Amino acid sequence: MVKIGIIGATGYTGGELIRILAGHPEAEITAITSRSNDGKKLEEIYPNFTGWDGPTFSGSDSPDAVAGCDVVFLAVPHGVAMNLAPALLERGQKVIDLGSDFRFRDYRTFETYYKHQHCQPELTKAASYGLPELYRKEIRNAQVVGNPGCYPTSIILGCYPFIKAGVIDSSLIIADSKSGVSGAGRKAELGYIYPELFGNFKAYGVPLHRHTPEIEQELSFLGGRETKVSFTPHLLPIARGILSTLHLTLTKLITTSEAEAIIMDTYKGEPFVKLIKAPGLPDIKGVVGTNCCHLGVRVDERTNQLIVISVIDNMVKGASGQAVQNMNLMCDLPETMGLVQWPVYP
Amino acid sequence: MVKIGIIGATGYTGGELIRILAGHPEAEITAITSRSNDGKKLEEIYPNFTGWDGPTFSGSDSPDAVAGCDVVFLAVPHGVAMNLAPALLERGQKVIDLGSDFRFRDYRTFETYYKHQHCQPELTKAASYGLPELYRKEIRNAQVVGNPGCYPTSIILGCYPFIKAGVIDSSLIIADSKSGVSGAGRKAELGYIYPELFGNFKAYGVPLHRHTPEIEQELSFLGGRETKVSFTPHLLPIARGILSTLHLTLTKLITTSEAEAIIMDTYKGEPFVKLIKAPGLPDIKGVVGTNCCHLGVRVDERTNQLIVISVIDNMVKGASGQAVQNMNLMCDLPETMGLVQWPVYP
Amino acid sequence: MVKIGIIGATGYTGGELIRILAGHPEAEITAITSRSNDGKKLEEIYPNFTGWDGPTFSGSDSPDAVAGCDVVFLAVPHGVAMNLAPALLERGQKVIDLGSDFRFRDYRTFETYYKHQHCQPELTKAASYGLPELYRKEIRNAQVVGNPGCYPTSIILGCYPFIKAGVIDSSLIIADSKSGVSGAGRKAELGYIYPELFGNFKAYGVPLHRHTPEIEQELSFLGGRETKVSFTPHLLPIARGILSTLHLTLTKLITTSEAEAIIMDTYKGEPFVKLIKAPGLPDIKGVVGTNCCHLGVRVDERTNQLIVISVIDNMVKGASGQAVQNMNLMCDLPETMGLVQWPVYP
Amino acid sequence: MVKIGIIGATGYTGGELIRILAGHPEAEITAITSRSNDGKKLEEIYPNFTGWDGPTFSGSDSPDAVAGCDVVFLAVPHGVAMNLAPALLERGQKVIDLGSDFRFRDYRTFETYYKHQHCQPELTKAASYGLPELYRKEIRNAQVVGNPGCYPTSIILGCYPFIKAGVIDSSLIIADSKSGVSGAGRKAELGYIYPELFGNFKAYGVPLHRHTPEIEQELSFLGGRETKVSFTPHLLPIARGILSTLHLTLTKLITTSEAEAIIMDTYKGEPFVKLIKAPGLPDIKGVVGTNCCHLGVRVDERTNQLIVISVIDNMVKGASGQAVQNMNLMCDLPETMGLVQWPVYP
């Protein structure tokens, strides 16, 4: 059994980690922390865990609180993980950070976008970007993984096949994304209360959301040239799920069938990435509660545009499920362990 | 033109007052106050009022802020209106309180349920309970109106015909009510953020919600005997609307048609109360955005139960619309002025 | 491995059976039937099963279509299962009917409420009512199980402890229930299209829903006296979940704590029924996707009322999950096998 | 009073026309038709009109059914209006078609996209495209108006200022639009039932939705050069509202403030088009129930992209409200008559 610690377990990603790991046959959660909930039972914070027999919250978020754990998940605000990681690594623990501290190859990008000095520039260089479909090998050997953002996961998985195939102009990617409200986290803000968002829909964070540099970093690296992303996120009046509509410009005219073949070829054998073939198109409920990414594609010959639809559950493949997928790789367990289930429908 | 002041105009009921009064041909809003928004334009707080040319917020909530107004609406927390009212009345202004300070015939009931000392016991006795269908005459002559609570409005309008007709046992009324989330007000609390309530439903405030004594006061008065109410409110995952299901025990067996006739007879000529005849049943969308109360009824002969369904828009007939209806009566304007419109559907 | 056949697998309960059984370690789905989808793959009907490697639909719904199966689930309209069951039983197959054909101890009750002649009165007498918390022993030995209705499951589990304890007047039970729209099945009717129900809420089927006699049958049997139920169902604007608010009259004054103790005592050791202790109250999201029933209770001393809140997922404990629980019992497998998971939240 | 006839009044746009016209001081609805509802009262089809005292449905949809009307609205499937219009015009009635028969300057575009022969090529040439902000003068004098599609209204109003200002490359417009489900009409199809869409979101009609040629026609005409549109519509899980995100390529670098000035300059004096200034962005609830179009804009200097957000209520400015605005112009009434109201919020 892999002994698990979760630092900062009261947010939505922390709760989702517990939900997934509670059903994982080789994982045992031995420590969960929350500064504001010392000694409380999980079900006091998340009534959906009524009856769970795991540990109570420790109010400390020092590395000592997770002593004895093999893997430590960090579900803390940005700027916190970088301070915790060195001590954990020193004890030989593997670290998976669900925040942004270890996602950037160049720590200065982090500093620019998050307006926070990075105190572990070397460590961020050593960390793996935790997108297994692209970096499986590095992740297997990593001590620190920077778990990708939710929007970047959906966008990168959708663009990658076509950048790799060399059929699109990767200098500019237009990504029009729509996310459920859980992506904003579990926090009491007027803008997120139910009456304000019910029956509503809007864009936000235009034009420079913090996920932009993460997407650009990866797409530039994969394409071997500078990629810029015009990224427009929107807030859907649902709890979970991201759908990204990618507007790409073809440099070579291909058919929809050929575009589908490129996706299938790229993700052949991948357990979590699936093509929804035309005339079907992916929808959010097809992935909610699962670690899957569903892709669909259409060529618009008249305009030379390639439209890729990419959906994930922002809390699973976009956060905690992908983190467990990374844990499986780092611990030499079957990659899909604890992550196989069909979506609840309807 | 009636000059209007609104003290505490940033909550949902304040916003709804402005929406309704902005379309009222004989009303002119001349002052709105909000302690935390001094000098701001309404559209900075409520973007839906973009382009509105009314006054900016005054940061004062003293009576001076509404000097020159003919009618002053108080949309403030309980315990505040009782301090403001005397000075307003002294200047000859009419006062409509959307809170609970002036709803009780006996100020001690207020003190018991709201755990707050009442500093104007005489004034609360002089105030009218602002339910025009029952107290039209008193309201016309009132200087102070205590505008009813949303749940009480739906429940009292549903029970009244049958208490009056003497066909039910009014010693115990079971009221199972369901309300949209706007009823909780515009406040940032974790329990009300979108992801927590999306796809969810629950009861709350069982067994002793603060609206209970208000309902019991009115039903006891109307029936001429002590009525107790077992009131169970629930939170619907929608923004607006209340549906109350009233489980009443018949003392005399009547048919559904006879029950319908009792409703029609009671509310004959009422502009805002309508019967939805069997086999139809009222639904919330039939009243959203309007000042209407829709009633439906069924007799269950097998169990001797009378089931009454009563729906209102909690923000309109349950708050601001009813307040304007009261204003019309107090100012000798046509009762329906500014309040006639069909619901947006779907 | 238990070989499974599902007759009528395209409705929501059929899809849910497949979802649950696909994750069941001892079950293998070997035949699914749908008259209108002969030869089609499941994912053509339910895109959420994209990638599922089970059988394609057989267009026949004759017993031959499920030859070789150990257990056959019937997810067909009422009146159909009674014609299929005898041939299946003759081959030694166990039968679990998700419809109403085998729920009634007296076939005439079925005939009265469903307006359909019963051609297997003997078989309906032999069938077990598939509510394991009450009839575990009978179900273990049953060849035919009539799987309970969704509303009855929530209401019976909520009332049973107090009928058993003899603290309520069981001659009349008031059940005010609210269900997600999936309860109406997967059918194209104008009343169920999205715009009609969005932001809406209403009662329906008042006063004599077909689930009434099923509830009365069980509560009368359990209480040893005739019980009548005044049952008022409502339609919630969500996909899944039922919350029943039970208004019961105490014959003996007890406290809320004592009422909680009665629940705990009754369901001690039950894996799927949980008490949510005061001040908490059950909510629908706490059970969605799971086979759990959550109960909460409050005594209202002023009115002598006992208010019980009972929530289930109508598709799981209210249908397909309970059917699998019954299968586990009938096949001598651990009762919780394939049914343990935490709800997706938020 | 203008006498109004509505042919095909049972769909959502028909119901919305009645809602708006019922509050219009100079309009009187004298005839409504519905082939399948001869003799029925409106409230039998739309319970939200309970108490409406207008005409009952005529089962005929021949021109005789609307004899005596000054203006006839056609809310019928495409291909039907072209057969009705000539007889209406002959009697001197003004015709406003809410469908697509009279939207195209070249009838062959209609024939290509709608796969239906056009029997009135001359009439379609004579008809005005009913977007008052662009063609006010023509509409005033028109006998036939082709009322624009909902998506085209939102997209054209968002693009027009920048095409006119000559700051974008109008050869390719990327329009990523999201619509509430009422846009699909009031029809019973499995894909539109509540459980399927609840909590869901998806694209559809990619890449060649029927609104594409209408958008291209207008933008090409306005820009004086061929414009192609890559149009991707999505289905929002709400009842009403469209938000279009327009991804435009700047040919000249301007700031967000300059872009805002271009919008303000273009729509100066327009009663229904408003700019939501940065840092604000338009949201759907800001326009629901109103005839307004709200626009917001951002320049992304890094990518040379201009992102325009355009929201309307698809049923009002996107259909019936705009039709009434056109009626006002055609009948020499104040353009905003019957169309001024603030959105219900929240």
Side-chain angles (χ1 to χ4, degrees), chain B residues 245-293:
Chain B
T245 308
L246 309 170
H247 301 277
L248 310 174
T249 302
L250 286 168
T251 51
K252 189 189 151 193
L253 192 54
I254 57 173
T255 64
T256 291
S257 294
E258 287 165 340
E260 292 186 335
I262 288 172
I263 290 177
M264 282 190 291
D265 186 54
T266 305
Y267 294 119
K268 199 174 170 175
E270 285 298 339
F272 296 120
V273 184
K274 296 179 192 169
L275 172 71
I276 304 296
K277 282 191 199 165
L281 276 172
D283 66 353
I284 275 184
K285 277 173 94 155
V287 298
V288 165
T290 80
N291 199 47
C292 290
C293 173

Side-chain angles (χ1 to χ4, degrees), chain C:
Chain C
M1 294 293 270
V2 177
K3 291 203 173 72
I4 309 284
I6 303 171
I7 296 186
T10 53
Y12 284 143
T13 51
E16 188 70 356
L17 273 172
I18 298 173
R19 181 183 75 84
I20 295 169
L21 292 167
H24 191 292
E26 291 292 335
E28 185 191 355
I29 300 172
T30 57
I32 58 177
T33 84
S34 164
R35 285 210 278 200
S36 46
N37 294 296
D38 190 26
K40 283 201 183 154
K41 294 175 70 174
L42 181 61
E43 70 188 56
E44 293 176 75
I45 309 303
Y46 278 109
N48 50 316
F49 284 111
T50 296
W52 190 61
D53 58 358
T56 55
F57 284 111
S58 159
S60 157
D61 58 3
S62 89
D64 289 346
V66 293
C69 294
D70 303 305
V71 176
V72 179
F73 292 91
L74 304 177
V76 292
H78 65 86
V80 176
M82 62 177 78
N83 288 310
L84 291 168
L88 300 169
L89 292 168
E90 216 160 273
R91 302 172 185 221
Q93 297 174 315
K94 292 173 198 296
V95 173
I96 300 170
D97 177 27
L98 282 90
S100 50
D101 288 16
F102 298 110
R103 289 176 189 163
F104 294 96
R105 292 165 200 273
D106 184 336
Y107 72 96
R108 289 166 299 190
T109 313
F110 173 88
E111 293 187 337
T112 303
Y113 278 84
Y114 288 84
K115 311 205 181 306
H116 191 107
Q117 208 190 332
H118 207 301
C119 66
Q120 297 290 335
E122 289 309 308
L123 203 50
T124 195
K125 213 181 292 177
S128 287
Y129 187 73
L131 197 53
E133 287 75 12
L134 303 187
Y135 303 111
R136 186 166 284 119
K137 211 162 126 188
E138 292 87 327
I139 297 165
R140 277 195 211 281
N141 300 313
Q143 296 304 307
V144 188
V145 161
N147 209 58
C150 50
Y151 286 122
T153 296
S154 74
I155 293 169
I156 297 165
L157 288 175
C159 292
Y160 173 54
F162 303 101
I163 288 178
K164 187 165 154 261
V167 297
I168 60 165
D169 175 1
S170 71
S171 65
L172 176 61
I173 302 289
I174 293 175
D176 191 293
S177 295
K178 301 88 179 172
S179 172
V181 188
S182 63
R186 199 186 204 196
K187 54 188 175 214
E189 285 182 19
L190 203 55
Y192 296 122
I193 65 172
Y194 202 83
E196 302 285 319
L197 297 178
F198 180 77
N200 210 349
F201 181 69
K202 61 182 168 191
Y204 71 97
V206 187
L208 216 51
H209 189 280
R210 280 172 171 174
H211 281 172
T212 304
E214 187 182 337
I215 305 165
E216 291 185 343
Q217 162 185 285
E218 292 305 311
L219 296 185
S220 297
F221 179 82
L222 295 169
R225 61 168 292 189
E226 194 190 9
T227 296
K228 284 196 173 147
V229 175
S230 174
F231 171 50
T232 308
H234 302 73
L235 204 56
L236 283 170
I238 62 176
R240 280 179 174 239
I242 284 179
L243 183 148
S244 289
T245 308
L246 309 171
H247 301 278
L248 310 174
T249 302
L250 286 168
T251 51
K252 189 187 151 195
L253 192 55
I254 57 173
T255 64
T256 292
S257 294
E258 287 166 341
E260 293 187 334
I262 287 172
I263 291 177
M264 282 190 291
D265 186 55
T266 305
Y267 295 119
K268 199 174 169 177
E270 284 299 338
F272 295 120
V273 184
K274 294 179 193 171
L275 172 70
I276 304 296
K277 282 191 199 167
L281 276 171
D283 66 353
I284 275 183
K285 278 174 94 157
V287 298
V288 165
T290 79
N291 199 47
C292 289
C293 172
H294 285 184
L295 299 173
V297 67
R298 293 289 188 283
V299 169
D300 182 4
E301 295 173 21
R302 293 169 58 259
T303 60
N304 225 24
Q305 291 286 300
L306 183 75
I307 296 142
V308 180
I309 308 285
S310 172
V311 299
I312 59 169
D313 183 328
N314 59 306
M315 301 298 294
V316 190
K317 185 63 178 168
S320 306
Q322 185 144 270
V324 172
Q325 188 181 355
N326 284 322
M327 178 197 86
N328 285 340
L329 289 170
M330 293 162 88
C331 296
D332 217 19
L333 295 169
E335 187 171 342
T336 61
M337 187 173 266
L339 291 168
V340 179
Q341 60 183 142
W342 298 97
V344 168
Y345 193 92

Side-chain angles (χ1 to χ4, degrees), chain D residues 145-180:
Chain D
V145 161
N147 209 57
C150 50
Y151 286 123
T153 296
S154 75
I155 294 169
I156 296 165
L157 288 176
C159 291
Y160 173 55
F162 303 101
I163 288 178
K164 187 166 153 260
V167 297
I168 60 165
D169 175 0
S170 70
S171 65
L172 177 62
I173 303 290
I174 293 175
D176 192 293
S177 295
K178 301 89 179 173
S179 173

